[in-house]
Amino acid sequence: MKNNLLPLGTRDEFGVRSEEKQRIIEVIQRHFRNLGFARISTPIIEKQVVFQPYQLVNSKMYRLLDQEGDTIVLRPDLTLPIARFLSSTSIPLPQKFCYVGDIFRLSRSLSGSYNQLTQAGIELVGYQSTKAELECLINIYDLSREILDEQVTIELGYADFAKIFLDIFTTDVNLRKQVAQALFDKKITEYERLISSFEDQRLYPLLKEWPRLFGEPEDIFQELNQYELPKSVTLRLKKIKEIVLLVKQILPKQQLVIDLSSRAPQQYYTGLTFRGFAKSGEDYIFSGGRYDNLLANFQAQNEPAVGMGIDIDLLTDLCVKKFNRIPKTLVFSSIKNWSKAQALVKKLPNATLSLSDTKADALKEAQKLQAKLIDIEEDEDEFEDSSN
């Protein structure tokens, strides 16, 4: 796909980032529409009670008061409002939904983060089968190749693995929370101090190794096979193994890693979780997982569900940086060869048509844009090579 992007120094001035963001949204919407997903949208303003049961990760909310004195918020998340919406309607389930919308989160001062973020995603509601997780992972694979023209690494985990594993060692809720927090924050010295009281327990060697349980699935499973683990742990590992085998069968080229030492993307997840990272990025673009208990907060009948979110702003930044590494090309021609020049512009990445009247002016234009100049009349050979 051709991307006409201006140099990084001028992209904000010419609104290039905005254009690229809109292009990405259109690609994602078309992708899900072609797969038969139903589009769903919810209000930007929600009652605070929708979000109260969960302490959302990286989420401080914008709070307001309505006319009745109730606290309302600018939504910091899209899955919870969709769950609330589905519980208040008679939409038949199971069903697949897709969405694009803005979320609002107060960021720390000078953190470099946006307070308003655009997120796209899917919610597969009413599906108990592992095929639901598989469909999310296949979409990550397909969209990353279509938009980024590269494959992302998918990281698998399990939402409550930390709690279940620490239950083996202690019933002290506060100690469990402290150990898990040190683990998630990668504070290894603090973590080792907290677990030192479990030194005499059978699985202590694995507990000590836990912060390093990250890597290729085969390596992780080989490490864990050395230990006799309780059923509560093996059941969760079985789910991870199942999805690993399915992905290798359907997407043999997809790179997978397992991380059993990280926090789930959000508290409402109950099963398998996943994140998608690009090699050129510092954070995850895709994230999601299974949340089988979420709708129970809004209705009597529960529904199994799996969701996946896409960070549109991060994806846009990656695309703009990637395609701006392609040198800009300026194509100059006489009116007689205008059609040839336009045809060449359509074929070349990051190219545009010069509107200068003379080649001398076109050279000056190219210098200002730091672009390579192609003259259709003089560079026939290059034009022919590009056309083939």
Side-chain angles (χ1 to χ4, degrees):
M1 186 172 293
K2 186 172 180 293
N3 287 268
N4 287 318
L5 297 179
L6 293 166
L8 284 172
T10 59
R11 69 179 187 183
D12 291 332
E13 180 182 350
F14 288 91
V16 173
R17 186 183 185 280
S18 176
E19 292 176 8
E20 182 68 0
K21 182 175 179 178
Q22 188 56 45
R23 183 191 72 83
I24 290 170
I25 290 172
E26 289 171 0
V27 169
I28 291 172
Q29 288 178 323
R30 182 175 65 250
H31 175 86
F32 290 130
R33 184 170 63 248
N34 291 341
L35 290 174
F37 284 74
R39 190 170 177 181
I40 191 171
S41 61
T42 59
I44 288 177
I45 295 177
E46 289 277 358
K47 295 283 188 181
Q48 182 175 269
V49 293
V50 171
F51 305 95
Q52 272 181 338
Y54 299 96
Q55 185 179 352
L56 297 176
V57 177
N58 298 326
S59 178
K60 291 185 177 180
M61 295 181 282
Y62 285 93
R63 292 179 171 85
L64 309 160
L65 291 178
D66 66 11
Q67 292 177 333
E68 287 73 38
D70 294 328
T71 302
I72 55 177
V73 299
L74 298 181
R75 62 186 183 202
D77 176 85
L78 280 161
T79 297
L80 286 163
I82 289 172
R84 188 268 312 155
F85 173 78
L86 292 176
S87 68
S88 63
T89 63
S90 56
I91 295 176
L93 299 174
Q95 196 164 161
K96 303 174 185 179
F97 303 96
C98 65
Y99 62 84
V100 175
D102 288 344
I103 57 176
F104 303 84
R105 298 173 179 175
L106 280 166
S107 300
R108 296 190 311 274
S109 179
L110 304 178
S111 67
S113 300
Y114 298 110
N115 290 327
Q116 180 176 346
L117 305 166
T118 304
Q119 188 179 89
I122 54 177
E123 309 293 347
L124 313 179
V125 184
Y127 297 94
Q128 188 66 57
S129 170
T130 308
K131 287 181 178 180
E133 284 94 337
L134 180 62
E135 176 150 25
C136 288
L137 301 185
I138 290 172
N139 277 291
I140 290 175
Y141 178 85
D142 290 340
L143 284 170
S144 63
R145 289 171 66 87
E146 183 174 3
I147 297 172
L148 284 173
D149 195 27
E150 69 175 86
Q151 182 190 127
V152 301
T153 298
I154 295 177
E155 175 191 291
L156 301 174
Y158 208 92
D160 64 352
F161 187 87
K163 178 187 179 304
I164 295 300
F165 187 53
L166 288 172
D167 282 347
I168 301 169
F169 298 91
T170 180
T171 57
D172 186 330
V173 175
N174 287 330
L175 179 56
R176 279 204 313 258
K177 287 181 178 178
Q178 290 176 39
V179 172
Q181 191 64 50
L183 176 76
F184 298 149
D185 293 343
K186 310 303 179 189
K187 295 180 178 178
I188 304 303
T189 302
E190 175 69 5
Y191 173 80
E192 291 180 344
R193 182 187 69 79
L194 289 167
I195 66 170
S196 60
S197 59
F198 308 131
E199 220 169 339
D200 58 344
Q201 295 199 34
R202 179 176 59 85
L203 289 175
Y204 177 75
L206 179 57
L207 185 65
K208 194 169 182 182
E209 190 64 26
W210 192 12
R212 289 166 283 280
L213 281 180
F214 172 86
E216 300 287 335
E218 294 79 6
D219 296 336
I220 300 300
F221 295 142
Q222 185 177 350
E223 173 73 24
L224 293 172
N225 284 340
Q226 301 177 49
Y227 303 94
E228 186 178 341
L229 299 169
K231 189 175 181 180
S232 58
V233 174
T234 58
L235 284 174
R236 285 157 176 78
L237 294 177
K238 184 179 178 181
K239 285 286 187 183
I240 297 176
K241 287 179 181 178
E242 181 184 1
I243 198 69
V244 168
L245 290 173
L246 286 172
V247 171
K248 287 186 178 298
Q249 180 182 343
I250 305 297
L251 303 171
K253 294 183 179 180
Q254 175 60 58
Q255 183 178 4
L256 293 175
V257 295
I258 292 174
D259 188 356
L260 297 176
S261 63
S262 290
R263 189 196 313 271
Q266 292 295 352
Q267 276 194 3
Y268 48 71
Y269 289 117
T270 58
L272 189 82
T273 61
F274 45 83
R275 295 180 171 99
F277 297 83
K279 291 179 182 178
S280 52
E282 298 179 355
D283 208 343
Y284 54 88
I285 306 166
F286 305 90
S287 67
R290 179 167 287 278
Y291 54 92
D292 285 348
N293 300 329
L294 187 58
L295 266 69
N297 288 313
F298 306 103
Q299 62 185 32
Q301 181 181 350
N302 206 0
E303 291 286 351
V306 177
M308 177 196 68
I310 307 169
D311 188 328
I312 298 293
D313 293 288
L314 181 55
L315 194 54
T316 301
D317 289 340
L318 288 175
C319 286
V320 170
K321 288 177 183 176
K322 180 175 182 178
F323 290 109
N324 269 290
R325 289 197 292 268
I326 301 172
K328 189 168 185 66
T329 301
L330 195 64
V331 180
F332 172 76
S333 78
S334 63
I335 296 296
K336 182 181 72 173
N337 287 318
W338 187 277
S339 297
K340 278 187 178 182
Q342 281 189 319
L344 181 58
V345 165
K346 291 177 181 177
K347 291 178 181 293
L348 294 176
N350 205 13
T352 191
L353 196 63
S354 171
L355 301 182
S356 297
D357 288 324
T358 66
K359 182 165 182 187
D361 289 340
L363 282 168
K364 292 177 183 177
E365 185 183 356
Q367 287 174 352
K368 289 178 181 178
L369 294 174
Q370 296 182 324
K372 173 187 176 183
L373 181 68
I374 292 179
D375 183 341
I376 285 292
E377 279 82 5
E378 294 183 4
D379 300 317
E380 285 288 344
D381 292 339
E382 185 165 354
F383 170 65
E384 293 298 332
D385 290 341
S386 301
S387 299
N388 292 332

